[in-house]
Amino acid sequence: MTALAKTKTPAFDVAKIRTDFPILSRTVHGKPLVYLDSAASAQKPQAVIDAITRAYTQDYANVHRGAYYLSETSTAAYEAAREKVRAFINAKSLSEVVFTKGATEAINLVAATYGRKFLKAGDEIVLTAVEHHSNIVPWQLLRDAVGCELKIVPVNLDGSIDVAEFAKVIGPRTKLVAIAHVSNVLGTVLPVREIADLAHAAGAKIILDGCQGIVHQHVDVQALGCDFYVFSGHKLYGPTGIGVLWARAELLDAMPPYQGGGDMIDSVTFAKTTWAPAPAKFEAGTPPIVQAIGLGAAIDYLNSIDRAAAAAHEDTLLRYAMTSLAQIPGMKLIGTARHKAAVQSFVMEGAHPHDLATVLDRSGVCVRAGHHCAQPLMEILGVSATTRASFAIYNTMDEVDALVTALRRAQEVLL
Ligand code: PMP
């Protein structure tokens, strides 16, 4: 490791951050845990765990319906979480923030409501070659229902995607552009603002799958110029079972409900039901109350740290990992675009990614192996699977070293 590469990012005390995440002090197979799978799901700070415990031990009741004290405090905490999300992404109003169970549900919601109402045979949806299955399959279901078509923007060998390719594919038939903000396999940060401008110039709407994007950078939905933005709480240091759909108010107003049930209605008779305004219109049934509160606590936590310094720290980890991994014989890095977030896929000659991940696990190193829910991308890359290390605010340069050492050992075992 070079002295420069190992220099700590000023103003970012990763040792202090690590003490906020209790799980990081445990061992696995007798080795210190080296958790490099945060792109799949991030670990949780104590503040989030405490907020969840507090909600269940002190403030728990169903929301929106009770006239008693506990239901009011529970409702207040749930709605306070919505305000935290609103401020975090700079949405114009609370009614633009819909809680879902995750990004997957949020995309399915848009496909099933906006898609079925506004798209028809002959219309086109533009995706990229790097999309997660969550941002492919819902559009295929829509295609099969209404007869629209999917157009795919290609990816370059280094994992970058050219805006010029969007300009070729987006046209008068395009009704929707549905793309990742950041690729979960390659780490590529897509030039979403420019793509949004192209979409709008063609009269189309744009939905951003922000699962990986919101984790690594500040998101301002208004500045991004998108129409829909979705993400999952569990990748943002919050709990599972909670996600967010943000959409422009006029779009949510125009969309029919996704599911019917309690809480989403204005009035119900057997003859006719009218809907509550957004966001309630899209939150049928008892919502993930405590999960939303937990997400609010995760946002509070992120607001309490220097996020710009955290992003710089992650970038330093990524650059160091890329340099160190590249020195391993037989190593091929997958995803080397200039503008990328702290996610690195790779393949190692002669070692299947699954075997590699299993051997690394014996050293306490958690990485992901497989197609990462991006089978079409794997086909384009000509691989069946990759191994992926992903870095979060709590990872260290020493953990990058541990990964590299474990990979070298794995090579001895497997080759
Ligand atoms: N999109 C991307 C880019 C992702 O990384 C993921 C999670 N791997 C998803 C969508 C789906 O998220 P979830 O399973 O939390 O709904």
Side-chain angles (χ1 to χ4, degrees):
M1 143 182 333
T2 66
L4 180 67
K6 218 172 179 180
T7 307
K8 249 204 275 174
T9 311
F12 191 74
D13 186 352
V14 66
K16 157 80 184 62
I17 294 282
R18 287 178 70 79
T19 63
D20 296 335
F21 291 79
I23 204 170
L24 297 180
S25 57
R26 70 159 289 171
T27 55
V28 170
H29 304 306
K31 308 276 170 33
L33 170 68
V34 176
Y35 188 74
L36 301 178
D37 196 21
S38 299
S41 203
Q43 299 299 347
K44 318 304 171 200
Q46 189 65 49
V48 167
I49 299 165
D50 287 347
I52 292 169
T53 307
R54 201 167 44 246
Y56 278 127
T57 50
Q58 288 174 29
D59 291 326
Y60 186 74
N62 209 335
V63 290
H64 295 152
R65 287 165 230 181
Y68 52 90
Y69 177 78
L70 265 192
S71 180
E72 280 166 12
T73 50
S74 182
T75 303
Y78 178 68
E79 292 303 331
R82 196 187 309 277
E83 168 55 24
K84 289 173 190 183
V85 172
R86 187 210 62 72
F88 192 65
I89 60 174
N90 193 30
K92 268 192 191 154
S93 77
L94 282 169
S95 58
E96 294 186 333
V97 177
V98 177
F99 283 127
T100 64
K101 78 176 162 72
T104 300
E105 187 180 51
I107 297 171
N108 276 279
L109 188 163
V110 175
T113 60
Y114 183 86
R116 282 182 191 235
K117 182 162 176 189
F118 292 107
L119 274 80
K120 54 182 190 321
D123 289 342
E124 292 173 358
I125 303 174
V126 172
L127 313 178
T128 77
V130 307
E131 298 310 317
H132 188 281
H133 295 165
S134 297
N135 198 29
I136 300 174
V137 184
W139 308 118
Q140 291 176 324
L141 294 173
L142 177 64
R143 173 190 65 190
D144 297 346
V146 306
C148 60
E149 282 176 47
L150 306 185
K151 296 282 171 186
I152 312 301
V153 173
V155 58
N156 298 321
L157 277 182
D158 66 352
S160 60
I161 300 187
D162 298 330
V163 177
E165 294 296 330
F166 279 92
K168 285 185 207 160
V169 176
I170 294 174
R173 287 166 171 250
T174 309
K175 287 289 171 313
L176 199 61
V177 174
I179 58 170
H181 187 180
V182 169
S183 159
N184 66 310
V185 179
L186 306 168
T188 311
V189 181
L190 277 75
V192 289
R193 175 73 229 201
E194 287 154 275
I195 300 164
D197 290 344
L198 283 174
H200 291 145
K205 303 287 183 235
I206 179 164
I207 174 167
L208 297 182
D209 170 358
C211 267
Q212 304 295 337
I214 198 163
V215 178
H216 299 289
Q217 65 189 71
H218 172 65
V219 164
D220 176 334
V221 288
Q222 297 186 58
L224 285 175
C226 54
D227 299 294
F228 303 91
Y229 195 96
V230 308
F231 63 95
S232 289
H234 67 97
K235 294 178 200 277
L236 195 65
Y237 309 101
T240 55
I242 184 76
V244 170
L245 162 65
W246 168 83
R248 293 185 189 283
E250 64 273 21
L251 295 173
L252 290 177
D253 286 347
M255 283 155 57
Y258 180 44
Q259 295 180 331
D263 249 19
M264 50 75 73
I265 54 90
D266 175 34
S267 82
V268 180
T269 66
F270 281 115
K272 182 177 163 56
T273 292
T274 54
W275 324 129
K281 181 167 64 171
F282 301 102
E283 294 183 3
T286 298
I289 303 164
V290 177
Q291 290 86 339
I293 292 168
L295 174 58
I299 289 173
D300 284 343
Y301 177 77
L302 286 170
N303 287 336
S304 78
I305 67 171
D306 181 343
R307 277 204 91 197
H313 169 71
E314 286 182 358
D315 192 56
T316 307
L317 289 173
L318 173 71
R319 303 295 154 193
Y320 179 55
M322 290 176 81
T323 313
S324 309
L325 289 169
Q327 285 159 15
I328 299 175
M331 169 64 68
K332 185 173 170 216
L333 298 186
I334 300 198
T336 53
R338 200 171 51 82
H339 198 191
K340 63 174 284 184
V343 172
Q344 189 59 55
S345 277
F346 53 87
V347 286
M348 219 164 73
E349 215 174 287
H352 191 279
H354 283 119
D355 296 338
L356 213 50
T358 306
V359 177
L360 289 189
D361 177 57
R362 303 307 300 180
S363 304
V365 179
C366 309
V367 292
R368 184 136 298 234
H371 54 61
H372 315 290
C373 296
Q375 283 183 350
L377 175 60
M378 295 295 121
E379 201 182 325
I380 291 163
L381 296 171
V383 294
S384 61
T386 73
T387 308
R388 181 189 72 189
S390 51
F391 304 97
I393 53 175
Y394 42 64
N395 290 121
T396 65
M397 305 292 244
D398 290 340
E399 289 182 311
V400 175
D401 290 342
L403 168 68
V404 171
T405 306
L407 280 168
R408 287 187 187 273
R409 264 201 226 113
Q411 246 177 352
E412 285 162 23
V413 176
L414 294 170
L415 303 187

